[in-house]
Amino acid sequence: MKIGFIGVGNMGGALLRAVLKKNRAEDIYIADSSREKTDKYSSEYGVKVCDNTTLARECGCIFLGVKPQMMEKMLVGISGALAMRTDKPLLITMAAGLGSGYISSLAGGCDVVRIMPNMAVGAGEGMILVCAAEGTEHGRIETVKELLSCAGKTDEISE
């Protein structure tokens, strides 16, 4: 499965490093408004750099590491690519204050899992709370827990 990261700032970058411990770099796509950040991760780890739309078309699991106030604009920008897919990707968001139902509605009905990580995830010692909207397949939550198993401990909570 191809894994994408839209936004590789402090937390997105920490989660990227954790996910790379168990996944091949050639299966990881990153997009960020900062060319400096994408160049750094590309040269350091060999991940693929692309734009948000390409990432939305290619990846089965997409981490949304953008600020809450930027989420709507970013999702509107990739909604066309998401709508064209026959297989809806799993979106994983760490944006505080935005419910999974709201994000799913902007993303054309994709399954959304919310996570609340802390910075210790970069060292593999983090604590990540995981929740999903009612009706989300339990397997989707398990996918997120497995992806983040190298980041630390996970615990499922209600939204």
Side-chain angles (χ1 to χ4, degrees):
M1 170 179 53
K2 294 177 185 173
I3 303 164
F5 288 80
I6 297 178
V8 286
N10 291 331
M11 188 56 69
L15 290 169
L16 169 64
R17 289 188 299 277
V19 168
L20 278 164
K21 292 177 185 173
K22 290 181 85 173
N23 295 275
R24 300 177 325 162
E26 55 266 23
D27 292 332
I28 310 276
Y29 291 63
I30 62 170
D32 194 283
S33 59
S34 167
R35 179 71 181 217
E36 183 180 327
K37 289 177 187 174
T38 57
D39 286 349
K40 173 189 172 215
Y41 287 117
S42 177
S43 64
E44 195 169 325
Y45 298 109
V47 298
K48 296 178 181 166
V49 176
C50 62
D51 59 35
N52 292 352
T53 302
T54 301
L55 193 148
R57 275 196 314 262
E58 298 292 326
C59 296
C61 186
I62 302 170
F63 285 84
L64 306 176
V66 300
K67 304 270 187 225
Q69 64 271 20
M70 299 166 59
M71 185 69 71
E72 183 174 352
K73 181 178 179 182
M74 185 275 301
L75 287 171
V76 167
I78 65 171
S79 62
L82 294 173
M84 292 174 61
R85 292 184 64 154
T86 56
D87 63 328
K88 293 289 185 189
L90 170 62
L91 304 180
I92 303 167
T93 179
M94 56 198 95
L98 300 178
S100 55
Y102 173 72
I103 292 173
S104 180
S105 70
L106 291 173
C110 292
D111 281 342
V112 176
V113 173
R114 291 178 64 196
I115 61 172
M116 291 167 268
N118 59 22
M119 281 306 294
V121 298
E125 299 292 329
M127 181 66 208
I128 306 135
L129 301 176
V130 180
C131 64
E134 193 173 313
T136 301
E137 291 179 41
H138 190 70
R140 297 291 221 167
I141 295 168
E142 293 306 313
T143 296
V144 173
K145 288 180 174 181
E146 177 60 28
L147 277 172
L148 298 176
S149 63
C150 284
K153 296 180 181 180
T154 60
D155 193 16
E156 193 173 333
I157 61 171
S158 66
E159 190 161 17

